[in-house]
Amino acid sequence: MNTEAMMSSPTEATEPYRDTYGAIAFEGLRNTRDLGGLPAGEHHILPRLLLRSGMLAPATDADLTRLGEVYDVRLVIDLRTDVEADRWPDPIEALPNASLVRLPVFQMPDAHNKEALDKLAELSRDLLAGTGDISSFFLGLYPHIVLGADGIAAYRGLFQALLSLDEGAALWHCSAGKDRCGMASVLVEAALGVPWHLVEKDYLATNTLLEARSDAKSPFDVGGVDMRYLRAALDAIEEAYGSLEGYLTEALGLDGEARAELRARFTA
């Protein structure tokens, strides 16, 4: 990807949205952010349209009211497994104007992803036994996130859902809002033309924001994010598709016309 061609600077009018990485302070939700204000080519992402978050189950009534009334959330995209979604369901009934789209980035092993997930299960067992390290797990996970059959279908579906959204905001989430959600955010920002150094900065902001909310632990707090993880995903993408641009187009179906439509909807 030609990152130099994506370089831009925020204007004074939109800079406040990025002062704290677009973080939104909620009572129960954590790592929730507004992508609004990020430069995107000659434009900027509009505020209160594209949100990312950890799982919604801990949301208080006040949080849900705010998502519905202040941010006008009309689309919730859940990137978690069926097991996670069943155990901690999204309180979608508290967002009566929103539709829920379930797009698991990975599921239980099947004929298409069994080898990769078996390897991740082995790494998980090593962690539990104290003989492995968290970095090895995530370095193995990220390539599967972007190249597994479920992952490609999920991220393709995410863009289709965004392009189908006529009004209001979209919110996508996983459990901690850092890996599956973080990769979704990287892809959305790249597709909109956000300068690559800011894509990386936004990805790494998870570490700062989760640390700041250490009072509200998630059952999925297993380390933060690391540029090595993102690099592992990008290396896998480049090996399979030649570039991130190729992946967006060939794997996710986001051609030039679709990207122009995406930018028209979410930037100004």
Side-chain angles (χ1 to χ4, degrees), residues 78-94:
D78 185 356
L79 302 172
R80 299 174 299 167
T81 65
D82 291 341
V83 172
E84 293 168 284
D86 288 344
R87 184 169 181 183
W88 297 283
D90 282 335
I92 197 67
E93 67 283 351

Side-chain angles (χ1 to χ4, degrees), residues 157-172:
L158 180 143
F159 281 111
Q160 290 172 345
L162 291 180
L163 288 168
S164 298
L165 185 64
D166 293 326
E167 60 181 337
L171 180 151
W172 57 88

Side-chain angles (χ1 to χ4, degrees), residues 204-259:
L204 291 173
T206 282
N207 294 333
T208 300
L209 298 177
L210 289 183
E211 182 179 355
R213 285 297 303 272
S214 59
D215 61 308
K217 290 293 184 182
S218 159
F220 298 92
D221 280 339
V222 283
V225 295
D226 190 308
M227 275 308 302
R228 293 176 298 164
Y229 307 158
L230 181 56
R231 186 69 255 170
L234 295 175
D235 287 346
I237 283 172
E238 289 170 5
E239 182 176 353
Y241 291 93
S243 66
L244 182 53
E245 298 289 342
Y247 175 76
L248 289 170
T249 302
E250 297 174 39
L252 305 189
L254 205 65
D255 59 17
E257 182 178 349
R259 288 181 69 165

Side-chain angles (χ1 to χ4, degrees), residues 74-180:
R74 301 293 184 95
L75 172 66
V76 174
I77 299 173
D78 185 356
L79 302 172
R80 299 174 299 167
T81 65
D82 291 341
V83 172
E84 293 168 284
D86 288 344
R87 184 169 181 183
W88 297 283
D90 282 335
I92 197 67
E93 67 283 351
L95 296 169
N97 294 324
S99 59
L100 173 65
V101 177
R102 297 245 24 263
L103 296 171
V105 171
F106 49 77
Q107 289 281 21
M108 299 302 291
D110 59 28
H112 299 289
N113 63 17
K114 187 176 188 306
E115 181 179 354
L117 288 184
D118 281 351
K119 177 61 177 176
L120 292 175
E122 179 184 343
L123 290 168
S124 298
R125 287 192 294 271
D126 290 344
L127 282 174
L128 291 173
T131 59
D133 66 270
I134 195 68
S135 296
S136 296
F137 175 80
F138 284 111
L139 287 170
L141 178 65
Y142 268 70
H144 178 68
I145 283 177
V146 293
L147 294 186
D150 288 329
I152 288 175
Y155 293 134
R156 176 185 281 260
L158 180 143
F159 281 111
Q160 290 172 345
L162 291 180
L163 288 168
S164 298
L165 185 64
D166 293 326
E167 60 181 337
L171 180 151
W172 57 88
H173 74 91
C174 55
S175 290
K178 66 187 189 70
D179 300 305
R180 290 164 289 185

